[in-house]
Amino acid sequence: MTFKNNLFKKNVLRIAGIIVTFAVAGLMIGSPAHAQTTVGGGGASFSALLMQECAKDFNASAGSGGYVVQYASVGSSGGLRGFANGTYAFGGTDSAYSSNKPTFPWTYVPISGGGIAIPVNLKGTNGRPIGGSINISQENLAKIFAGQIPTWNNSALKKDNERIWKLMPNTPVTVVYRADGSGTTNNFLQYLNAWRPDIFSKVQNDMSTAFIGGVPPVNSISGPQNAGVMGQVAMRDGAIGYVDLGDAIKANATVANIQNAKGQFVKATISSIAKNLSEQTNVSSEGIVLLNYNVNSDGVYPIGIFTYALLRVGSKTPASLGSNAFVKYLIQTCGSQRAMSIGYVPLEGKILAVANNLLARAES
């Protein structure tokens, strides 16, 4: 009796094991694990902080769908080029294509707003930093970057800085500009060109050839990407540059007050930039915001910027689907939740509607 009971138990266990084995195998065959897909993007350093922070959030979110997004900060020129030649599944740029556009269907999609801050590293005659107290008019900003104002106590700056004039030192001005092809440069040149086209007649991604005569002034030095410009400014007393607000905040930099169309001198902050961007409603058929540098409202910081993603239209490859999912998350979730804390302005109103329509076109 005992022998029969043991044999019965062994047969039951053997049969159960076979059933479990087939059940597991069936699950494996019928429901394969979803493999992760790496989605590589690259481009504008202006949007790099936003892209990278939102990519971290997206990759960790339940709605990532197995896509793992990575973004390389290589400058807008690198993003435009890399997207067109297929190096990147999606691109990042602050400027439009001027040539060598992609041969496949594609679109711009606005993803965020921001501003170009003017960091100034300057010690006053009292030995203390005064860069955050300096006022710079539209005309003087153009002259400074053209090398036409060689020292910080130059008489051209006196009218706008009467309050602190006794503190303005005889320190030489060092102009710091982007070494690489940059949408930040393109937008900064758009602003300078709007006020002084006789000084800065070219609007392009390359700053080194945009100066008078196509040659950088003798009191200038370049730095790679926005972080490189910020680093060069931080190392030199008397230096001035142009960077996105996020990099200025990250570096705890002092930034100058820039004159707006109403004649007010305004510091770059999320609030003052948002006042500017809320009045920017002129959008091209391609999705590029055509900026107005003459917004005549109180408290407006005048040098605004929009940054864009580049997406394929109608592509159903895993990389394209992942790119679309990430950009949707960036615009509709991360942008509104995280942008302001790291120096960006979330899309709203007409520009947000345009962005969603262009994203829908990419997904079609």
Side-chain angles (χ1 to χ4, degrees), residues 68-79:
V68 178
V69 173
Q70 299 173 348
Y71 183 82
S73 176
V74 296
S76 289
S77 290

Side-chain angles (χ1 to χ4, degrees), residues 142 145-146 177-178 182 185-186 188-190 192-193 196-217 242:
F145 276 87
Y177 64 93
R178 282 283 291 265
S182 160
T185 291
N186 190 295
F188 186 51
L189 285 170
Q190 286 183 51
L192 296 176
N193 176 265
R196 288 302 303 266
D198 57 320
I199 296 177
F200 285 97
S201 60
K202 297 179 181 179
V203 175
Q204 56 189 36
N205 286 0
D206 178 18
M207 188 68 172
S208 65
T209 59
F211 295 106
I212 296 174
V215 179
Y242 59 95

Side-chain angles (χ1 to χ4, degrees), residues 190-266:
Q190 286 183 51
Y191 174 80
L192 296 176
N193 176 265
W195 289 102
R196 288 302 303 266
D198 57 320
I199 296 177
F200 285 97
S201 60
K202 297 179 181 179
V203 175
Q204 56 189 36
N205 286 0
D206 178 18
M207 188 68 172
S208 65
T209 59
F211 295 106
I212 296 174
V215 179
V218 294
N219 64 330
S220 68
I221 189 171
S222 65
Q225 303 179 20
N226 283 311
V229 170
M230 193 64 257
Q232 294 282 25
V233 171
M235 289 190 294
R236 291 170 172 79
D237 187 29
I240 182 173
Y242 59 95
V243 300
D244 65 281
L245 178 60
D247 272 307
I249 291 173
K250 190 175 180 180
N252 196 29
T254 54
V255 298
N257 307 301
I258 305 302
Q259 190 177 40
N260 62 20
K262 200 164 186 174
Q264 300 168 332
F265 291 96
V266 181

Side-chain angles (χ1 to χ4, degrees), residues 92-173:
T93 184
D94 314 317
S95 59
Y97 279 102
S98 58
S99 61
N100 300 317
K101 297 181 180 181
T103 56
F104 49 81
W106 62 281
T107 185
Y108 300 103
V109 179
I111 58 171
S112 183
I116 298 176
I118 308 299
V120 175
N121 179 7
L122 182 65
K123 290 185 178 66
T125 55
N126 60 0
R128 297 176 182 176
I130 61 170
S133 300
I134 291 174
N135 294 336
I136 305 178
S137 68
Q138 303 99 326
E139 179 165 345
N140 282 337
L141 188 63
K143 287 182 176 180
I144 287 171
F145 276 87
Q148 296 176 0
I149 296 179
T151 62
W152 283 103
N153 67 349
N154 186 278
S155 59
L157 297 171
K158 185 173 182 179
K159 179 182 177 182
D160 300 328
N161 293 281
E162 291 283 0
R163 184 175 59 84
I164 62 167
W165 188 247
K166 290 182 179 180
L167 298 176
M168 296 289 276
N170 192 35
T171 304
V173 174

